[in-house]
């Protein structure tokens, strides 16, 4: 990305290659686990699958020039476009950082999106910063947080952003939970919602590159991290997947490569021609693990595949390697699945057809090039569903 003097500040592009920053893994800062840790609830509490009915979707309005610089207005336009689309299918609550940001959000999102200014936010990545809601099957609802620490402090390591840039998002999960009126606790591990997939039926999948990483969970073993995640999500089996460390801010979140459709069924995107070799190899490795995996119920997973785009006609050649060219980062709503399109007519249509067939729901494809390019995240990254009880 350009420097501020060239027109664009180097804001949080979550997919920018680490090699471009000159940082190394050994230099990653480690943040502390936040307070308020409580024992995990009994396994009767579970995070339901994203395909189950929602009460509403939570989002956050980006308004920080420190983070986004001159790309801010373009990111806001994509967030507004997505919020208005989600609001066609279920209620959307947009958290804005104060009255001025709220006024701007209302103007850009329109009357179908509910904007509130009572919950301060740093940025738009609600999937990573918001609470995960659980149900108990008897009308109960509670929630937990994953101690967001700016992706292992990679926001500082990669881009030189101050620790304070994400101070509000570090405690956002508890504030959203308090607004909802649900019990809340922080987990004893550090991570992000985009770093783990759950089927709501006992099985999780996650990349080791995110969770078994000293920038998030120093001194914790895989078995300790696994036990805590299983307890929090109300699951009994973890499928650990290979990932990519140090090549993007997230250290290889799973939600850009593999997603649950429903219990027993996953979809994997095999990289198209525009993806760098490291991501191509990782997608194939993830696929190969999943085709040989069984879930908590003993089912052999059905693994569906799609392919990423071969061309990005709207993106300059110099920016294509850092662009999140993933159809997988969709958000599921009560009546439709919302994802992106990249201008590769054949691959866009093939992805839309495959996702619609998998879910049995219409698929809406939006042009979100600013979010996926300058932001390096997608529709899933900026939304968090609150389930029906």
């Amino acid at each position: 990305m350009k420097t501020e003097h060239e027109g664009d500040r180097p804001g949080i592009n979550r997919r920018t290659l680490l090699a471009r920053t000159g940082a190394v893994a050994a230099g990653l800062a480690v943040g502390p686990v936040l307070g308020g840790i409580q024992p995990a609830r009994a396994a009767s509490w579970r995070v339901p699958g994203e395909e189950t009915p929602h009460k509403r979707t939570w989002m956050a309005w980006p308004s920080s020039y420190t983070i986004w610089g001159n790309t801010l207005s373009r990111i806001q336009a994509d967030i507004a476009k997505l919020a208005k689309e989600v609001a066609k299918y279920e209620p959307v609550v947009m958290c804005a950082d104060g009255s001025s940001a709220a006024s701007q959000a209302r103007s850009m999102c329109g009357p179908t999106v509910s904007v509130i200014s009572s919950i301060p936010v740093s940025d738009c990545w609600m999937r990573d910063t918001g609470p995960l809601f659980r149900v108990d099957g008897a009308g109960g609802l509670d929630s937990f947080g994953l101690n967001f620490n700016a992706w292992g402090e990679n926001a500082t390591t990669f881009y030189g952003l101050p620790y304070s840039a994400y101070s509000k998002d570090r405690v956002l999960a508890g504030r959203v939970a308090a607004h909802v009126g649900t019990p809340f606790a922080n987990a004893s591990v550090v991570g992000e919602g985009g770093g783990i997939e759950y089927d709501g039926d006992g099985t999780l999948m996650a990349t080791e590159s995110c969770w078994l990483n000293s920038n998030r969970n120093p001194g914790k073993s895989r078995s300790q991290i696994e036990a805590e995640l299983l307890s929090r999500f109300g699951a009994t089996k973890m499928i650990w997947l290979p990932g990519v460390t140090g090549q993007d801010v997230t250290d290889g979140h799973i939600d850009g490569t593999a997603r649950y459709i429903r219990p027993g069924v996953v979809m994997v995107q095999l990289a198209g021609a525009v993806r760098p070799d490291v991501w191509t190899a990782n997608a194939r490795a993830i696929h190969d693990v999943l085709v040989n995996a069984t879930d908590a119920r003993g089912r052999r997973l059905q693994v569906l595949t799609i392919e990423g785009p071969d061309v990005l006609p709207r993106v300059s050649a110099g920016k294509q390697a850092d662009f999140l060219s993933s159809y997988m980062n969709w958000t599921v709503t009560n009546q439709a699945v919302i994802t992106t399109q990249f201008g590769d007519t054949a691959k866009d249509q093939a992805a839309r057809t495959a996702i619609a067939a998998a879910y049995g729901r219409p698929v809406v494809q939006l042009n979100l090039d600013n979010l996926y390019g300058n932001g390096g995240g997608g529709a899933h990254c900026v939304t968090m569903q609150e389930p029906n009880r």
Side-chain angles (χ1 to χ4, degrees):
M1 298 177 66
K2 297 178 182 178
T3 68
E4 182 177 10
H5 300 293
E6 295 171 320
D8 289 349
R9 283 179 56 109
I12 275 288
N13 180 334
R14 290 144 43 95
R15 307 289 159 177
T16 298
L17 297 182
L18 183 57
R20 294 189 175 197
T21 70
V24 294
L28 295 177
V30 176
V33 176
L34 303 185
I37 295 170
Q38 299 176 21
R41 298 280 187 114
S44 60
W45 289 88
R46 64 183 179 86
V47 178
E50 293 180 34
E51 81 284 358
T52 58
H54 303 169
K55 180 177 181 179
R56 55 194 164 192
T57 284
W58 287 85
M59 297 182 68
W61 185 251
S63 59
S64 171
Y65 188 82
T66 297
I67 293 172
W68 289 108
N70 291 339
T71 66
L72 179 59
S73 62
R74 284 173 272 168
I75 297 298
Q76 289 172 334
D78 276 7
I79 292 293
K81 182 190 298 185
L82 176 62
K84 287 188 285 188
E85 190 64 37
V86 174
K88 295 177 181 178
Y89 310 106
E90 62 189 65
V92 174
V93 178
M94 181 77 70
C95 300
D97 194 35
S99 58
S100 178
S103 178
Q104 182 186 41
R106 292 186 186 103
S107 176
M108 294 183 68
C109 294
T112 61
V113 175
S114 176
V115 179
I116 61 174
S117 60
S118 56
I119 302 176
V121 295
S122 300
D123 205 356
C124 59
W125 308 112
M126 184 63 80
R127 178 66 49 180
D128 293 346
T129 60
L132 286 134
F133 294 99
R134 308 192 303 184
V135 297
D136 66 356
L141 182 74
D142 78 354
S143 59
F144 65 94
L146 290 170
N147 303 299
F148 177 73
N149 72 340
W151 308 283
E153 307 304 341
N154 281 343
T156 297
T157 304
F158 279 30
Y159 312 111
L161 291 176
Y163 183 92
S164 59
Y166 281 91
S167 60
K168 296 166 186 173
D169 282 357
R170 295 171 193 271
V171 294
L172 178 62
R175 287 172 171 168
V176 172
H179 184 91
V180 173
T182 178
F184 173 83
N186 279 313
S188 64
V189 294
V190 175
E192 305 87 37
I196 190 163
E197 279 283 307
Y198 40 92
D199 70 352
D201 195 37
T203 311
L204 308 177
M205 60 180 180
T207 53
E208 293 184 342
S209 55
C210 290
W211 297 93
L212 311 185
N213 193 319
S214 61
N215 65 8
R216 292 172 174 85
N217 292 296
K220 289 186 180 293
S221 68
R222 187 168 85 165
S223 61
Q224 289 173 321
I225 296 168
E226 177 177 312
E228 174 67 357
L229 290 172
L230 291 175
S231 294
R232 292 291 171 185
F233 281 84
T236 57
K237 181 169 184 177
M238 171 69 83
I239 301 173
W240 285 109
L241 299 169
V244 178
T245 302
Q247 294 294 304
D248 75 337
V249 166
T250 73
D251 290 308
H253 273 183
I254 186 62
D255 66 351
T257 305
R259 301 286 303 278
Y260 275 110
I261 303 294
R262 57 186 174 274
V265 181
V266 298
M267 182 175 281
V268 177
Q269 178 174 309
L270 301 177
V274 298
R275 294 287 276 171
D277 288 345
V278 64
W279 296 108
T280 300
N282 185 244
R284 174 54 65 179
I286 286 174
H287 171 272
D288 291 349
V289 171
L290 291 174
V291 295
N292 293 299
T294 56
D295 67 12
R297 307 291 183 181
R299 294 172 291 217
R300 174 78 67 174
L301 292 178
Q302 179 184 357
V303 182
L304 309 175
T305 60
I306 60 174
E307 293 184 354
D310 292 325
V311 294
L312 297 172
R314 300 187 297 260
V315 182
S316 65
K319 292 186 176 181
Q320 292 191 8
D322 297 338
F323 193 95
L324 177 60
S325 54
S326 172
Y327 299 108
M328 303 299 296
N329 203 265
W330 62 64
T331 188
V332 182
T333 72
N334 285 333
Q335 297 172 297
V337 179
I338 303 170
T339 186
T340 188
Q341 51 90 355
F342 300 111
D344 182 333
T345 303
K347 288 295 186 70
D348 288 350
Q349 182 58 50
R352 180 176 183 176
T353 299
I355 297 167
Y359 275 105
R361 304 182 194 189
V363 171
V364 179
Q365 289 183 305
L366 303 176
N367 177 343
L368 299 171
D369 282 359
N370 289 305
L371 184 62
Y372 281 71
N374 292 317
H380 191 247
C381 296
V382 298
T383 56
M384 177 60 82
Q385 74 283 349
E386 180 184 338
N388 282 344
R389 302 189 183 204

